[in-house]
Amino acid sequence: MRVWNKSAWREKPRVQMPDYSDSELLEKVEAQLLRYPPLIFAGEARNLKVHLGAAARGEAFLLQGGDCAESFEQFSADRIRDMFKVILQMAMVLTYGAKVPVIKVGRIAGQFAKPRSDPTEVQDKQELPSFRGDIINDLTFCPESRRPDPNRMLWAYTQSVATLNLLRAFSTGGFADMNRVHAWTLEFAKGEGAEQFQEISSRIQDTIDFMAAAGITADTTHEFSTVEFYTSHEALLLEYEEALTRVDSITNQWLAGSGHMLWIGDRTRDPEGAHVDFIRGVLNPIGLKCGPTLTPDDLKRLLAILNPQNEAGRMTLITRFGTGRLADHLPKLIRAVKEEGADVLWVCDPMHGNTTKSSTGYKTRSFNSILSEVREFFCVHEVEGTVPGGVHFEMTCDDVTECTGGFRPITDDDLSSRYHTVCDPRLNASQSLELAFLIAEELTNYRSVLTHL
Ligand code: PEP
Ligand code: CO
């Protein structure tokens, strides 16, 4: 294969990326980004790779979650804090079920660019370019707003830096103390209708009490009060990714400095395409979205291109088929991976295959379909003897009404009341935590099957 360089993707077909009309401004922005510091360090990306390698062997479990698309308008310190809080709560509940460390990766500090099924959108007989995420254009439906503006890359960079700065402070500054995290969860389980979650909550409390009695507390034990938190996003806007790609001075390898883990979307995974060409050359752990149209042969090709050395932790396969469809699709891909002897981490994204239109006209997803897809994922992996190594969600800390269902049920009629997403429907904080509890039960069953083998 041709020697990689970080600009060679430009010779490949340009899909799902904007056509910037002002090339002078684009070059100016790229040159500016090139001078800016990377957001992350190579050592962090390597550490995450080691953890993901462990998850592929069943020795850890990945929780990846966050907004479908981060937004400039909804950016605030409180939202970063609350998103971090929900992810920590989910991780703690999942740790209880998985009995292995949970790796926490946010769709955050860079998750701005969106692939779209339709290049244009029609409203009141007017046709305009689709909204492609705040890093590219603006959601407002008018020609000026929808024009791609290179300056938005600088704003997205600034927001990402500020977000990651706060996340780093929260990770080590006392906010992540397990006692605090569990106190929030206990509060949730005390709410009306949440009785079903009290048993797991009180078992976690017993464990914390037991450890405290044995002298393991936030004061004595680093792991009790700090967390490792990683960032991830879809590597879609390659001008932005290329400008933040730098040589790691320790290994001389290339690092995508925009986030710890990058993934390739289901619409941009053409083995001959620009996105695959760019991402193959960076050292970061990478995700590959696997939807119903991915053939076993293409998966084999992609694994050969993206991870020729079969390095552990490099490849995370994020499956997103839609509930009821896993038995048709997943076993074929698992067998392809087995035939290649490829080392991969299997993760379930139960969001993107389960998008529907509600009776009231909103794009939505039902809680039950999301949960069913996760259950099918566990079931197929049990049958195939492979490891279900993680979950991937679109979620928010806010009390939105975007996905239906949950124990505090949201109906089709409720969707209009707090539908705030700029792209896909997200689980709200309560639905996210509820899902974590139900998956923890699933994981408990899975572990008990393992121990009886
Ligand atoms: C996403 O994760 O937001 C996304 C667009 O996913 P996919 O590429 O799987 O459709
Ligand atoms: Co999405």
Side-chain angles (χ1 to χ4, degrees), residues 68 107 111 114-115 234 263-267 289 320 349 352 392 394 424:
C68 175
R107 288 174 60 114
Q111 175 50 25
K114 298 309 297 174
E234 177 171 350
W263 76 83
I264 306 181
D266 198 43
R267 296 168 186 79
K289 290 290 200 94
R320 31 89 79 223
D349 163 1
H352 287 89
H392 181 120
E394 285 185 345
D424 287 340

Side-chain angles (χ1 to χ4, degrees), residues 141-327:
F141 195 79
C142 76
E144 200 39 51
S145 308
R146 290 293 171 94
R147 186 169 305 133
D149 178 354
N151 279 317
R152 291 181 158 266
M153 286 194 257
L154 299 175
W155 306 338
Y157 170 86
T158 308
Q159 180 165 323
S160 301
V161 170
T163 302
L164 187 52
N165 184 50
L166 199 55
L167 288 170
R168 288 187 190 279
F170 285 145
S171 303
T172 55
F175 187 80
D177 180 334
M178 275 194 212
N179 284 299
R180 285 170 61 105
V181 176
H182 190 57
W184 298 320
T185 308
L186 281 178
E187 205 54 43
F188 168 82
K190 267 196 230 141
E192 203 185 315
E195 297 78 18
Q196 52 180 316
F197 309 124
Q198 278 170 8
E199 191 188 329
I200 292 187
S201 295
S202 58
R203 286 194 185 195
I204 297 174
Q205 185 64 55
D206 285 348
T207 311
I208 292 176
D209 292 345
F210 175 82
M211 287 194 291
I216 302 168
T217 65
D219 291 335
T220 61
T221 312
H222 181 73
E223 284 74 13
F224 210 89
S225 58
T226 61
V227 291
E228 277 180 32
F229 189 88
Y230 296 96
T231 60
S232 69
H233 62 267
E234 177 171 350
L236 187 70
L237 185 57
L238 296 181
E239 278 90 356
Y240 179 78
E241 299 302 337
E242 179 190 328
L244 290 172
T245 294
R246 311 292 159 79
V247 175
D248 164 31
S249 54
I250 298 177
T251 60
N252 270 336
Q253 288 178 299
W254 289 94
L255 169 77
S258 60
H260 296 110
M261 176 183 187
L262 303 185
W263 76 83
I264 306 181
D266 198 43
R267 296 168 186 79
T268 49
R269 55 170 163 67
D270 174 5
E272 299 296 326
H275 292 87
V276 169
D277 189 67
F278 171 77
I279 217 164
R280 78 181 169 91
V282 296
L283 70 86
N284 310 56
I286 56 189
L288 177 70
K289 290 290 200 94
C290 306
T293 58
L294 178 63
T295 64
D297 280 346
D298 268 345
L299 179 57
K300 287 182 183 178
R301 270 181 80 196
L302 285 164
L303 289 170
I305 296 170
L306 297 169
N307 193 16
Q309 310 295 330
N310 203 16
E311 186 191 359
R314 161 77 168 171
M315 287 304 305
T316 298
L317 301 182
I318 308 167
T319 64
R320 31 89 79 223
F321 299 117
T323 184
R325 305 177 77 185
L326 275 75

